[in-house]
Each structure stands twice: as C-alpha cells, then as structure tokens.
Amino acid sequence: MQKTISPIDGSLYVELELATPAVIDEALDRARTAQRAWRDTSVQDRAAILSKFCDVFESQRDEIATELTWQMGRPIRYSPNEVNGTLERARHMIAIAPQALADIDAGPKENFTRFVRREPLGVVFTIAAWNYPYLIAVNSVVPALMAGNAVILKHSAQTPLCAERFASCLTEAGLPDGVFQVLHLTHADTEKIIHDRRIDFVAFTGSVAGGHAVQRAASERFIGVGLELGGCDPVYVRHDADLAHAIENVVDGAYFNSGQSCCGLQRIYAHERIYDEFVDGFADLTRKYVLGNPLDQNTTLGPVVRTAAADAIRQQIEASIRAGAQPAIEESAFAVSKPGTPYLAPQLLLDVDHSMTVMREEIFGPVAGLMKVSSDEQAIALMNDTTFGLTAAIWTRDRDAALAIGDRIDTGTWFMNRCDYLDPALAWVGVKNSGRGCTLSVVGYEHLTRPKSFHLRTRT
C-alpha cells in the first residue's frame, strides 16, 4: 500500500494500492493499443476533448484546492491558483497545437513535393513531483495527448489524488479508454517501466539525484528523456530598481509555497547603493507572514512537505550560520515553528558567501541568502557561479541593461521585474544541473514528436 501523510497534522490522508506487475503489464499493452487509434484522431477532435477536460477540471476547483492543501500543505488561500495556472497552460498548448504540429513545407522545387511531418512518439511516461502537482504534470500530459501520444502518469506518493483527478476529468471529457492511465508505483517498478520497450519517452520532474536515476534507467534505450530538475535561482536587485516592487516580489519569490519551488529565488544580490534599505524592507515584510494551519484563510505560509524535510532545511541553515552567515529573522516571531514538526519559520541569511550551503545547494524551503554587490559585473559573475541554471531575475528600470545582462547569464529563463512564473508561450528549459529538454511553447511540442520527412517526386 502507498500511504500519504498530510503535513498539516500528521494524519493518514489517503492510502492506495500499488500497481502489481500484472496491472503494469496490462496498462502498457492498453496504452500501445489505444495510442494507435488516438494518433489517427484529428488534431481538432483531440482539441475538443482536451478543451472539455479543461472545463471539467475548472468545475472542480474547490475540491481540487482542498485536496491539494491536505496532501502537500499549501495554504488554502493560494491553492485555487494552481487550478488557474493549470488551465492557462493546458488551454495555451491546445490552442497552439495546430500550428506546432502542422507539416513544415520545405519550399518549392520543380517536380517535387517536400515536407516534414511531426509524428507522435507513442507512449509517454510522465513522472511528476508533489510541490506543484498539477502544474508539473500538465506541462507534459496535455501537449503529449494533443500530439497523438498515449500517456501513463506516475505521480508522487505525496500527491496521488492529483493523478486520479487528471484521470477522472479526462474520462468525463470523453478521452478514449487507455489513452491516459495512472499507475501508483514503487521506485523499482518505475525503473522497470523506463526500461520497457513499450515506453517511448520519459518526462521527469524532480531532484538532480532522481534525474540521474531516470537517465541511467533509460541509457540502454534510444528514447528521449525530459529532465526538469533542481535550482538555486539568483536575483539581482540593481541600483535603479523600483525598490518597493522588488521587495514585495523577491520576498514572494523566496517564500511562496514555503520555498518549495525549483524556480523559487534562493540567492539574492543587492547593489550596495540600495542594500541597507532592501534588507530592512525584506525583513519587515517577512515578519508579516503568518505561519500556521494551511486550512486557515489567514495563513500565508504553510508547513513544508514533511518533518524530515524541515529537519534537513534546519541543518542547511545551521551549516551556513556556522560558516558565518547572520540570520535576519527571529524564529521566535513565528510561534508554531518548532523542531520536530514540518512547520518552519522563513529565514533570510546575511553576510553570506559562495562557500556556504545556502548559496550552493538547493534548500527547497523558506530560506534565502543575501549578498551585497558593487557592480553589474560582480552580480553577473556571482549569478553564474552555480551548478544550476533554471531561472534568474533582475529588478531594474533599464530594459536595455536587463537584456544585456540577461545575455550573459547561464539560465533557461531570464526575468525582468518578476520571477517564479511559467509563461506557457515560452520554452521551459534548464541548463547545467537543472536538466535538459523542454516543455511548453511551440518548442515543447518538438520533444513530444519525431520529424518524418516526405520526399515525393511528382513527375518523372
């Protein structure tokens, strides 16, 4: 049995049967059979079914939000926003599918017809993480289905009901049987499925270690693997920034979802001209957060996913403090923050450097480190001094400077005056240890299809 313990109160929230070898084998066979018919379904008909899925999903917003909060602890005041984001991404990928999947005309050539057609891969195996359970899954599920693939979704043991919601909403929308299936799996069975010849692509979101495990499992097969992994994302608050706007958004970027975001902000570089004012404003706003039961509408900071995660985050904070970092936030200001629980106060660490854990490792909690810089050049060097590269951001009033600096940052997405957001019209991609491959946008469809060239001599 697979058990999901709620971080809210430590209770058993859901218990589900793990798939047996016979169930797995049947699901893979069903997916292969269903995909052959689904690939022959027109893009317009696929779009009609998936648009209906969006309507069904939207109608269940309240139930989805409550389930999500119980499973992973996000405050209920924010949980409905994940429904909004899921719909935004799904509807965008549905809308651009005719363009993204259209034949590519190679141009005129006398006596020849030449074009490239994008064919579905077959069966896509999506392995999704718990921290944004719907947003992560939708990135591959909807475009994979729109491209004519079948999908098998293995969701985190922390958020299994999110997978079940996808399945029930797609069924209600009229998706043919077998085109989308959910399997609750052990790590060992997950690896076996990646090895299986009936799987044609793996879309994984999770840790760097998990990404290596997926890549090793797929290494003996010639299939594509999409890896959306970790981050230790930087932000540069330039001397000409709108400071009030920067403080509000950087604090949110660091602490939203209790910092449990691969693209959340963890490394902050503030120009020396505005450093003191920025520190004061950041700390003042952080102290206004309300840490508590996420079912309370007044709560703005919920627990992290489990007590073991909170304990590990505390150790990472303490390691940086032992190395010389100075905590700017008093834990006593957050009464429910206690060792041995998943409730953890937000923290800002000052006097940090790149030898410290907070500036080197993905902490995945409500923690950020802040350094003073004297120039754009210093900020660029520090932002690039990392093994990760998912997103990076700058706060400035100078668009040209933002573009020039962004060109020199090793990252998948570069933001100006915002952060921690996926625009579905743009490619979502990481560099270095943040992964490889791409989801969303027209480019995302290239990873869920294969090109097939047609070279027709029309006259001999």
Side-chain angles (χ1 to χ4, degrees):
M1 296 295 288
Q2 175 180 278
K3 297 181 179 182
T4 301
I5 304 300
S6 174
I8 294 177
D9 58 5
S11 63
L12 175 63
Y13 184 63
V14 63
E15 191 171 19
L16 295 168
E17 292 276 357
L18 289 165
T20 64
V23 167
I24 293 169
D25 190 60
E26 182 184 358
L28 292 172
D29 275 346
R30 188 185 302 118
R32 297 298 289 184
T33 300
Q35 193 271 331
R36 284 192 286 270
W38 181 244
R39 65 166 289 162
D40 293 333
T41 303
S42 70
V43 172
Q44 292 72 25
D45 287 345
R46 294 177 207 156
I49 292 172
L50 287 165
S51 294
K52 175 64 174 174
F53 156 77
C54 291
D55 295 340
V56 174
F57 189 79
E58 187 170 23
S59 72
Q60 298 178 16
R61 179 192 309 273
D62 291 344
E63 304 98 293
I64 289 169
T66 301
E67 281 180 355
L68 189 153
T69 292
W70 271 104
Q71 288 173 95
M72 53 77 64
R74 186 180 308 144
I76 194 66
R77 66 187 290 162
Y78 303 129
S79 291
N81 293 337
E82 182 147 351
V83 176
N84 299 340
T86 301
L87 293 169
E88 178 188 28
R89 295 182 194 182
R91 286 172 171 154
H92 180 81
M93 296 306 288
I94 294 166
I96 66 171
Q99 169 199 353
L101 299 172
D103 292 346
I104 303 169
D105 189 346
K109 185 177 182 180
E110 189 175 2
N111 300 330
F112 289 90
T113 299
R114 302 171 303 154
F115 60 90
V116 179
R117 179 158 290 166
R118 303 215 65 88
E119 291 192 333
L121 299 173
V123 179
V124 172
F125 184 32
T126 292
I127 306 169
W130 54 265
N131 56 313
Y132 285 94
Y134 289 106
L135 292 175
I136 287 168
V138 77
N139 287 356
S140 60
V141 168
V142 166
L145 293 173
M146 278 302 305
N149 299 291
V151 175
I152 292 177
L153 173 60
K154 184 268 182 214
H155 222 302
S156 166
Q158 192 65 41
T159 46
L161 296 184
C162 298
E164 298 290 341
R165 281 282 176 183
F166 266 110
S168 65
C169 291
L170 285 165
T171 297
E172 187 173 341
L175 188 72
D177 181 61
V179 176
F180 177 87
Q181 297 174 81
V182 168
L183 290 175
H184 303 294
L185 301 164
T186 64
H187 290 311
D189 283 335
T190 300
E191 184 176 342
K192 288 178 184 176
I193 290 178
I194 296 171
H195 281 294
D196 196 285
R197 60 178 176 77
R198 290 167 289 186
I199 293 296
D200 301 289
F201 185 86
V202 180
F204 172 79
T205 302
S207 67
V208 174
H212 281 300
V214 169
Q215 188 162 259
R216 282 193 299 270
S219 64
E220 296 180 3
R221 304 190 58 224
F222 298 116
I223 61 171
V225 176
L227 303 173
E228 203 269 88
L229 309 178
C232 185
D233 288 0
V235 58
Y236 174 32
V237 185
R238 204 164 178 259
H239 64 85
D240 61 344
D242 178 335
L243 207 52
H245 182 262
I247 289 167
E248 177 185 359
N249 284 268
V250 175
V251 170
D252 181 70
Y255 299 142
F256 186 79
N257 208 38
S258 297
Q260 299 169 126
S261 174
C262 54
C263 59
L265 300 180
Q266 189 175 313
R267 298 181 293 132
I268 306 168
Y269 307 99
H271 195 277
E272 60 187 6
R273 292 191 212 170
I274 52 88
Y275 176 84
D276 290 338
E277 188 177 353
F278 181 82
V279 170
D280 291 343
F282 192 107
D284 287 345
L285 182 54
T286 299
R287 294 185 187 103
K288 294 176 183 176
Y289 272 66
V290 178
L291 175 66
N293 187 320
L295 295 171
D296 185 336
Q297 284 285 348
N298 293 317
T299 295
T300 55
L301 194 68
V304 297
V305 67
R306 58 182 66 91
T307 299
D311 291 343
I313 295 164
R314 288 180 184 278
Q315 290 171 8
Q316 289 172 302
I317 294 171
E318 290 164 4
S320 292
I321 291 173
R322 286 195 302 271
Q326 298 298 313
I329 307 299
E330 311 80 12
E331 186 176 6
S332 59
F334 298 86
V336 301
S337 179
K338 297 182 184 302
T341 78
Y343 290 86
L344 178 68
Q347 187 54 268
L348 175 67
L349 297 175
L350 308 178
D351 298 334
V352 297
D353 61 47
H354 277 217
S355 70
M356 297 178 186
T357 299
V358 69
M359 307 301 278
R360 217 176 51 245
E361 301 176 6
E362 181 180 42
I363 290 185
F364 224 62
V367 186
L370 175 59
M371 288 181 66
K372 182 189 298 185
V373 296
S374 59
S375 66
D376 291 348
E377 289 298 319
Q378 185 184 12
I380 291 167
L382 289 168
M383 293 174 90
N384 282 334
D385 182 24
T386 178
T387 59
F388 296 100
L390 191 55
T391 76
I394 187 171
W395 261 261
T396 178
R397 289 185 171 92
D398 189 333
R399 177 177 174 274
D400 291 339
L403 286 171
I405 294 169
D407 272 341
R408 298 172 61 189
I409 301 299
D410 302 326
T411 190
T413 297
W414 175 246
F415 293 107
M416 172 182 170
N417 295 335
R418 76 175 311 173
C419 60
D420 196 16
Y421 171 75
L422 278 69
D423 185 330
L426 298 175
W428 185 244
V429 58
V431 301
K432 297 188 275 191
N433 278 354
S434 289
R436 62 182 173 86
C438 170
T439 59
L440 302 177
S441 80
V442 172
V443 180
Y445 273 107
E446 296 176 9
H447 294 258
L448 294 166
T449 56
R450 66 170 62 88
K452 182 176 182 179
S453 294
F454 287 77
H455 192 153
L456 311 177
R457 187 191 293 271
T458 55
R459 183 174 179 183
T460 59

